[in-house]
Amino acid sequence: MSCDFRALATPGVQKLTPYQTGKPEDELQRELGLSRVVKLASNENPLGPGRAALHAARKALESMHRYPDGAGFYLKQALHETLGVAPTCITLGNGSNDVLELIARAFTLPGDEIVFSEHAFAVYPLATLACSAVPVAVPARLFGHDLEAMAAAVTERTRVIFVANPNNPTGTWFHRHALESFLEQVPERVVVVLDEAYFEYVQETDYPNGLDYLSRFPNLVVTRTFSKIHGLAGLRIGYGISSEAIADVLNRVRQPFNANAPALAAAQAALADESYVRDSRDLNTAGLAQLAEGLQARDLHFIPSVANFLCFDCGAPAEPLYRQLLAKGIIVRPVAGYGLPNHLRVSVGLAEENAAFLAALDEVCADG
Ligand SMILES: *Cc1c(COP(=O)(O)O)cnc(C)c1O
């Protein structure tokens, strides 16, 4: 007889459904016998790596027998110069995902509550359950965050609130004044995490910059990442910006070397590579319009998005369409796990990739 290790896991871990990742592209291509695969499933930068970042990462590999700089001195300095935030207020992470988990771990005991929105980023419930904290999912409004209801969901036991602006997988966002009144309503003892993974893509005039609120709200943590517009998803590097007091708490629970050396070096180079960021943003603006027009022309409704993806309504359970697209070598993301069983999320790709996706939709419809 062997132990029931599942039963020995903490209560939250027993309830946890692991994050779903797709098959490696190469494997899919081999299995389906396809000549090419178009991956529009993970909101990655379709431009490929930036030259400067690639060069910096390669150079860093030459010292891979050494531990990385555990304090991330140079990257924090570069972030300080670019964003105007003190290095002591920055927490680096193995992706911003790492920072989200550090926050949950540092501030919750089993039974404490963490509030987030329905249809919000999958990592919020994962980070919550991993600590055996209680997830409180507040119903969405028009697929977006209902910030009023989220503030009203705070109880004595609430320790953390996660909000994403814009949100993934819906692409929805909230205005400056909505954020302000939300922050004013939340008690200071509750840590508010403002996840700005897609910040650099957004061009709406009323879109708030979370950094503007840090001095007024010491309970605020803004998280950002190098995975999206900076094109470093595979290296795993992101960061949180907060009051020094919160950064000090997070520094206590992070692994001493949570950010690896090639990632630190590449991130520093990527931050300085303004033309790569500009090109990426321009490509995205055009690609988002291309996808929106293409979906509209096919009578497929989508949720208006300011990020680098669109979530569209298939009008019926989306799984069959997902499979049919997959068979044609187009990988998109089912979002049933986010409470959106009829939707699929498609990331903005290169113009020809977006066109291949739209053409595959037509073929699928023609196939019946
Ligand atoms: C992609 C994404 C992140 C970033 O994840 P990394 O761990 O930095 O790669 C964070 N939040 C949201 C909402 C995302 O979509």
Side-chain angles (χ1 to χ4, degrees):
M1 266 261 296
S2 76
C3 280
D4 180 355
F5 289 105
R6 169 112 190 228
L8 289 173
T10 59
V13 170
Q14 290 186 42
K15 282 184 218 139
L16 195 155
T17 313
Y19 187 83
Q20 297 289 325
T21 52
K23 267 193 194 147
E25 274 162 84
D26 295 349
E27 187 57 20
L28 191 76
Q29 193 163 351
R30 200 187 54 76
E31 265 182 26
L32 297 172
L34 293 162
S35 55
R36 85 158 181 168
V37 163
V38 174
K39 189 181 178 217
L40 301 174
S42 300
N43 304 343
E44 294 148 338
N45 191 323
L47 268 186
R51 291 274 118 208
L54 187 59
H55 178 75
R58 283 195 172 128
K59 193 152 161 265
L61 282 179
E62 284 165 22
S63 304
M64 71 184 183
H65 60 299
R66 303 284 185 201
Y67 279 101
D69 169 18
F73 179 85
Y74 294 108
L75 180 55
K76 285 187 184 172
Q77 201 59 40
L79 286 166
H80 163 62
E81 281 157 25
T82 311
L83 304 175
V85 292
T88 46
C89 295
I90 302 171
T91 305
L92 299 179
N94 184 37
S96 55
N97 195 330
D98 190 21
V99 180
L100 303 176
E101 286 185 23
L102 295 178
I103 294 165
R105 183 135 45 95
F107 288 100
T108 64
L109 281 171
D112 287 340
E113 293 169 0
I114 297 187
V115 172
F116 47 81
S117 174
E118 180 190 17
H119 312 314
F121 189 41
V123 167
Y124 309 153
L126 289 179
T128 302
L129 290 173
C131 303
S132 295
V134 177
V136 177
V138 176
R141 241 185 104 238
L142 302 170
F143 299 106
H145 289 21
D146 185 343
L147 291 179
E148 294 282 333
M150 291 180 77
V154 170
T155 72
E156 300 279 87
R157 300 229 64 170
T158 308
R159 293 288 172 273
V160 177
I161 307 182
F162 287 115
V163 292
N165 197 30
N167 182 48
N168 171 19
T170 55
T172 51
W173 63 290
F174 42 83
H175 294 219
R176 186 170 287 128
H177 64 260
L179 175 63
E180 277 171 19
S181 71
F182 171 73
L183 290 170
E184 280 161 8
Q185 285 171 71
V186 175
E188 193 175 311
R189 61 176 175 79
V190 176
V191 174
V192 174
V193 182
L194 177 60
D195 182 340
E196 294 186 335
Y198 302 94
F199 174 82
E200 299 87 349
Y201 286 108
V202 186
Q203 292 166 82
E204 265 64 15
T205 45
D206 282 337
Y207 176 69
N209 178 342
L211 304 184
D212 294 344
Y213 300 92
L214 286 167
S215 58
R216 243 180 95 197
F217 299 99
N219 57 331
L220 176 64
V221 185
V222 176
T223 60
R224 294 195 186 161
T225 182
F226 286 96
S227 298
K228 305 286 159 57
I229 209 164
H230 294 292
L232 302 181
L235 286 182
R236 313 303 304 129
I237 180 93
Y239 55 100
I241 306 170
S242 63
S243 58
E244 222 175 89
I246 289 183
D248 171 69
V249 167
L250 300 181
N251 192 44
R252 291 163 187 243
V253 288
R254 78 175 175 89
Q255 289 179 42
F257 303 105
N258 63 333
N260 70 80
L264 289 169
Q268 196 189 331
L271 200 59
D273 194 349
E274 289 172 16
S275 67
Y276 177 80
V277 170
R278 195 167 49 242
D279 291 349
S280 300
R281 187 184 297 119
D282 291 347
L283 182 76
N284 189 65
T285 305
L288 205 54
Q290 183 188 3
L291 287 176
E293 282 162 28
L295 289 169
Q296 217 149 24
R298 288 159 182 81
D299 280 329
L300 288 164
H301 294 283
F302 55 86
I303 305 168
S305 167
V306 294
N308 66 346
F309 53 84
L310 272 178
C311 208
F312 64 96
D313 188 348
C314 307
E319 189 68 18
L321 180 56
Y322 164 71
R323 300 248 152 244
Q324 289 166 307
L325 289 171
L326 201 58
K328 297 188 183 296
I330 309 288
I331 317 177
V332 297
R333 176 62 62 100
V335 284
Y338 294 82
L340 297 165
N342 287 7
H343 284 75
L344 290 174
R345 190 194 68 194
V346 57
S347 306
V348 175
L350 299 172
E352 60 265 30
E353 294 174 325
N354 303 330
F357 158 73
L358 294 169
L361 275 181
D362 291 336
E363 286 175 31
V364 167
C365 292
D367 294 350

